[in-house]
C-alpha cells in the first residue's frame, strides 16, 4: 500500500469505530497489566471470566502478593498455562511493590524486565494505559499486516517496526486496536469475511472470500 491508501485504510476503520479499546476488562493500570499477561495464548473472553471476581478483591500489587500464588491459581485455573502465569503475576507484583512503589512503569523497556511481560504485552500496556504510540503485534495484527499488504514482515517485530514507520497521524495511538478487532471479527484466520470488509478494495489478498449463498 502507498501512503494515500494507508491513510484511507485507517480513515475507514476510524469512521467505523471512532473509539476502539481493548476488550479486556480492568479497573486500573495494574489490573490491565495483569489481564494482558494472563491473555497470552488465551482469549479475552476467557480472561475476563476469570478476572471479574479476582479484580473485585485485588486492585493493587500488594493485594496480589497477599493473595499468593495458590490463591491466584484458584481464580485463573480456567485459563491456559495458569500455573506459569500465576507464578509470573505474583513475581511481577512483588517487584512492583519492592522497586516501583506499587506503580506500573510507563517505560516499555522497563516493563519487559518484569516476569511474564514480553514486548507485545508492554506495548499494549503503555499504549492503553499511558497513550503511547506503540504497536502491539499479536497473531491478529501479524495476519492482517501481511495479508493486506499494510505491513508485511516475517516476524512480529518486523511487522511492528513497519507499522511504526507507515501508520500516519492521527491514527497512530489507536491503530493496533483497530487492527486487532478487524483481525478478530472480519479478517479471520481460516476464512476472512471479505464480503463485508470495509477495506477490501485496498487489500492485496487475492483469494478473497465470496459472500456465502443464502438458502
Amino acid at each position: 500500500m502507498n501512503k494515500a491508501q494507508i491513510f484511507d485504510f485507517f480513515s475507514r476503520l476510524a469512521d467505523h469505530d471512532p473509539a476502539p479499546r481493548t476488550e479486556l476488562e480492568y479497573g486500573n493500570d495494574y489490573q490491565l497489566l495483569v489481564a494482558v499477561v494472563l491473555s497470552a495464548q488465551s482469549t479475552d473472553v476467557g480472561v475476563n471470566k476469570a478476572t471479574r471476581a479476582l479484580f473485585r478483591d485485588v486492585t493493587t500489587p500488594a493485594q496480589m502478593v497477599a493473595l499468593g500464588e495458590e490463591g491466584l491459581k484458584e481464580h485463573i485455573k480456567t485459563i491456559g498455562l495458569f500455573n506459569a502465569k500465576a507464578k509470573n503475576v505474583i513475581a511481577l507484583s512483588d517487584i512492583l511493590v519492592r522497586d516501583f512503589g506499587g506503580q506500573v512503569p510507563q517505560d516499555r523497556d522497563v516493563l519487559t524486565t518484569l516476569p511474564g511481560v514480553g514486548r507485545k504485552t508492554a506495548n499494549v500496556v503503555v499504549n492503553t494505559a499511558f497513550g503511547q504510540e506503540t504497536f502491539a503485534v499479536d497473531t491478529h495484527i501479524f495476519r492482517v499486516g501481511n495479508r493486506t499488504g499494510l505491513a508485511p514482515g516475517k516476524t512480529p517485530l518486523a511487522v511492528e517496526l513497519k507499522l511504526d514507520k507507515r501508520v500516519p497521524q492521527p491514527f497512530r495511538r489507536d491503530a493496533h486496536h483497530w487492527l486487532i478487532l478487524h483481525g478478530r471479527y472480519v479478517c479471520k484466520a481460516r476464512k476472512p469475511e471479505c464480503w463485508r470488509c470495509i477495506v477490501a478494495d485496498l487489500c492485496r489478498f487475492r483469494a478473497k472470500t465470496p459472500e456465502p449463498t443464502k438458502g
Side-chain angles (χ1 to χ4, degrees):
M1 291 186 195
N2 59 37
K3 290 182 178 180
Q5 290 173 322
I6 292 172
F7 193 92
D8 191 12
F9 183 99
F10 283 104
S11 293
R12 296 185 199 181
L13 295 180
D15 288 342
H16 179 70
D17 185 3
R21 55 174 294 156
T22 179
E23 293 185 320
L24 290 170
E25 298 172 2
Y26 64 97
N28 59 33
D29 299 342
Y30 170 68
Q31 289 182 339
L32 171 65
L33 172 60
V34 171
V36 179
V37 168
L38 295 178
S39 71
Q41 300 182 49
S42 302
T43 66
D44 288 0
V45 172
V47 172
N48 290 338
K49 288 180 179 178
T51 57
R52 281 176 192 139
L54 172 68
F55 286 168
R56 283 197 293 267
D57 297 327
V58 176
T59 61
T60 68
Q63 290 172 339
M64 187 68 79
V65 173
L67 176 66
E69 190 173 328
E70 293 305 315
L72 177 56
K73 285 181 183 179
E74 283 301 307
H75 283 281
I76 66 170
K77 59 188 177 183
T78 56
I79 299 175
L81 306 175
F82 73 93
N83 285 310
K85 290 176 180 178
K87 183 177 182 179
N88 284 333
V89 168
I90 296 299
L92 73 83
S93 300
D94 188 57
I95 293 170
L96 291 180
V97 172
R98 186 186 70 213
D99 298 339
F100 297 97
Q103 301 299 309
V104 176
Q106 297 188 29
D107 185 293
R108 177 177 62 191
D109 293 336
V110 173
L111 278 170
T112 59
T113 66
L114 298 175
V117 180
R119 185 178 179 92
K120 184 196 77 173
T121 295
N123 276 333
V124 171
V125 172
V126 298
N127 173 272
T128 303
F130 307 120
Q132 295 181 29
E133 295 174 353
T134 56
F135 304 87
V137 178
D138 68 351
T139 56
H140 296 301
I141 293 184
F142 185 78
R143 179 175 66 255
V144 172
N146 277 285
R147 182 182 278 168
T148 63
L150 172 67
K154 293 184 178 180
T155 65
L157 180 59
V159 172
E160 177 191 336
L161 296 177
K162 195 155 289 185
L163 286 171
D164 193 20
K165 182 179 180 180
R166 290 186 169 186
V167 178
Q169 295 291 8
F171 309 114
R172 293 178 61 81
R173 177 174 175 175
D174 292 327
H176 96 265
H177 288 302
W178 282 313
L179 294 175
I180 287 173
L181 295 171
H182 190 66
R184 184 174 292 165
Y185 296 112
V186 181
C187 195
K188 299 176 181 179
R190 293 186 179 180
K191 194 173 183 181
E193 298 182 2
C194 304
W195 68 90
R196 67 182 190 89
C197 175
I198 59 176
V199 291
D201 59 307
L202 301 172
C203 173
R204 294 183 181 177
F205 183 57
R206 292 184 178 181
K208 289 187 169 61
T209 311
E211 183 174 3
T213 55
K214 298 179 180 179

